[in-house]
Amino acid sequence: MQIKSVRKEFGGFTAIENIDLDIESGELVALLGPSGCGKTTTLRMIAGLEHPTSGEILFDGRDVSDHPVQDRNVGMVFQRYALFPHMTVEKNVAFGLKVRGTPQSEIAPRLDEILDVVQLTQFRHRFPAQLSGGQMQRVAIARTLITKPSVLMMDEPLANLDTKLRGEMRQFIRELQQRFGITTIFVTHDQVEAMELADRVAVIFNGHLAQFDTPEALYNHPKTLDVADFMGASNIVPGRMTSATSVTTDLGEVSVVARDDISANQSVQVMLRSEAIDLKLEAPAAGNAISGTVTGRDFFGANVSYAVDCGGRTIEVNEPGGRRLVDVGTPVWLDIAPDRVWLLRN
């Protein structure tokens, strides 16, 4: 599937500005961004619920930009499930097939198969009001998958679930998507959801595609300061390159790995991931050594978050909770390897 220079205007407002995406068959792609950024509008254009003002949407090389929903063979799972309250689970799931005029002899085995896949066989005669939020979400997914769509689309499907259920459903959706090998586009504003579920993530700000990359690349190698901030980078320090492998900051001289796209004397932003920093009580023998004093400590069980004052700038450091606890007021050294430092161009 390809989205080429797609633009969407509503009156005088531009919701989407020339977005390009190339989505591989069987890939799970997350559209990620804050509320109002245009991610749901993008999804609706791919589904055929909205038509682009300009640009092309290609399915297997065929331009479907002006085609209605029924000509695209897509399946949509909405945030609010949209289940029929007067129908049982099995009738909700089979609804799409019945509307299409599928013979009952074909519906029955497909219904049994999909209910088994989504682990709802024992609930087939229940009504939506008798189900939990997670079970209702699985009914909505099963109702979509039973029609065998070429593309599965999900618009913030976990937003109504509690934290524990969201985690369980993320794993369930990922396993289901891999089992069916179906191309899936998933809209979310939750970075954790996108990172855990997606093969690649499209980050959208104000209708513009900021970066389309793997979760690992987005997290460790964001292209812009906005992407780094949105993906949770807490330590970003301005600096200036003094050589290909060294940058001067108000933390001192920081060694980095040389990059072809950044030259000496260039102004940059230095990203130091909090979990990439080791907190040490003695100066490290190699790597970047930054002195400071612990000014705050928060214990979260699995990890400990430290605030370290380094010459007037606070740096956040996250360490495993079982390692050891360092008291507030303790002089420390921050140890970070040059290849764990990431530079952002201004």
Side-chain angles (χ1 to χ4, degrees):
M1 176 194 301
Q2 290 178 301
I3 300 168
K4 292 186 174 182
S5 302
V6 165
R7 177 186 179 91
K8 180 63 178 178
E9 296 178 358
F10 294 98
F13 172 68
T14 301
I16 294 296
E17 182 70 51
N18 295 330
I19 280 185
D20 291 279
L21 293 173
D22 195 341
I23 299 171
E24 301 292 335
S25 177
E27 189 174 29
L28 196 160
V29 168
L31 304 182
L32 174 68
S35 297
C37 71
K39 54 190 184 294
T40 294
T41 298
T42 302
L43 187 78
R44 288 174 62 84
M45 286 192 290
I46 297 171
L49 298 171
E50 298 280 356
H51 295 297
T53 303
S54 61
E56 296 177 310
I57 297 173
L58 306 176
F59 282 20
D60 296 323
R62 181 173 62 104
D63 187 0
V64 299
S65 304
D66 295 323
H67 291 207
V69 178
Q70 57 268 28
D71 289 350
R72 302 193 188 197
N73 191 29
V74 298
M76 179 77 84
V77 178
F78 296 97
Q79 177 179 336
R80 296 188 178 278
Y81 316 140
L83 303 180
F84 297 110
H86 62 286
M87 291 185 182
T88 62
V89 167
E90 64 178 14
K91 288 182 178 178
N92 264 287
V93 173
F95 180 79
L97 293 181
K98 289 190 175 181
V99 168
R100 297 181 183 199
T102 307
Q104 184 60 38
S105 59
E106 184 180 338
I107 291 176
R110 283 170 68 174
L111 180 61
D112 290 341
E113 178 187 12
I114 199 67
L115 288 177
D116 180 60
V117 168
V118 299
Q119 302 162 22
L120 288 173
T121 300
Q122 67 270 40
F123 303 109
R124 65 190 302 156
H125 299 302
R126 291 192 184 182
F127 292 90
Q130 298 171 307
L131 303 175
S132 69
Q135 289 165 346
M136 284 192 286
Q137 187 57 271
R138 281 186 275 159
V139 174
I141 293 171
R143 183 179 59 186
T144 302
L145 288 178
I146 199 171
T147 63
K148 297 183 178 179
S150 58
V151 181
L152 175 63
M153 302 190 185
M154 312 181 84
D155 189 4
E156 305 231 28
L158 309 184
N160 294 331
L161 303 180
D162 61 37
T163 302
K164 183 175 184 296
L165 262 181
R166 285 169 75 107
E168 292 174 359
M169 282 302 298
R170 283 199 295 267
Q171 182 177 356
F172 174 79
I173 289 171
R174 184 58 177 161
E175 291 175 353
L176 199 65
Q177 189 268 340
Q178 290 179 330
R179 175 172 178 169
F180 282 88
I182 185 171
T183 305
T184 302
I185 303 173
F186 186 100
V187 165
T188 182
H189 64 272
D190 187 313
Q191 294 92 331
V192 173
E193 226 161 67
M195 299 279 281
E196 186 173 336
L197 275 169
D199 296 307
R200 286 191 294 168
V201 180
V203 181
I204 300 173
F205 297 134
N206 298 319
H208 294 263
L209 180 65
Q211 190 169 345
F212 185 36
D213 228 322
T214 64
E216 294 82 5
L218 279 174
Y219 189 78
N220 292 312
H221 303 141
K223 289 184 177 179
T224 68
L225 190 58
D226 285 340
V227 173
D229 182 62
F230 191 71
M231 298 307 294
S234 55
N235 304 315
I236 298 178
V237 182
R240 182 169 292 278
M241 302 299 298
T242 52
S243 72
T245 59
S246 184
V247 54
T248 297
T249 74
D250 54 11
L251 299 176
E253 203 74 12
V254 176
S255 296
V256 299
V257 175
R259 293 237 312 258
D260 292 338
D261 59 338
I262 294 179
S263 57
N265 204 38
Q266 185 173 341
S267 177
V268 294
Q269 299 289 331
V270 181
M271 186 181 84
L272 307 171
R273 278 282 176 192
S274 57
E275 70 280 2
I277 303 171
D278 286 327
L279 199 66
K280 297 195 172 181
L281 300 179
E282 297 181 359
N288 291 303
I290 301 167
S291 62
T293 302
V294 175
T295 57
R297 184 184 75 190
D298 292 304
F299 180 74
F300 297 104
N303 67 292
V304 183
S305 178
Y306 293 98
V308 181
D309 177 67
C310 302
R313 180 178 290 275
T314 298
I315 299 297
E316 181 182 319
V317 180
N318 281 319
E319 289 199 326
R323 182 179 293 181
R324 47 103 167 92
L325 292 177
V326 178
D327 293 330
V328 171
T330 304
V332 292
W333 291 86
L334 307 186
D335 180 19
I336 183 166
D339 62 357
R340 302 299 300 276
V341 178
W342 182 246
L343 299 179
L344 297 159
R345 291 177 293 175
N346 287 329

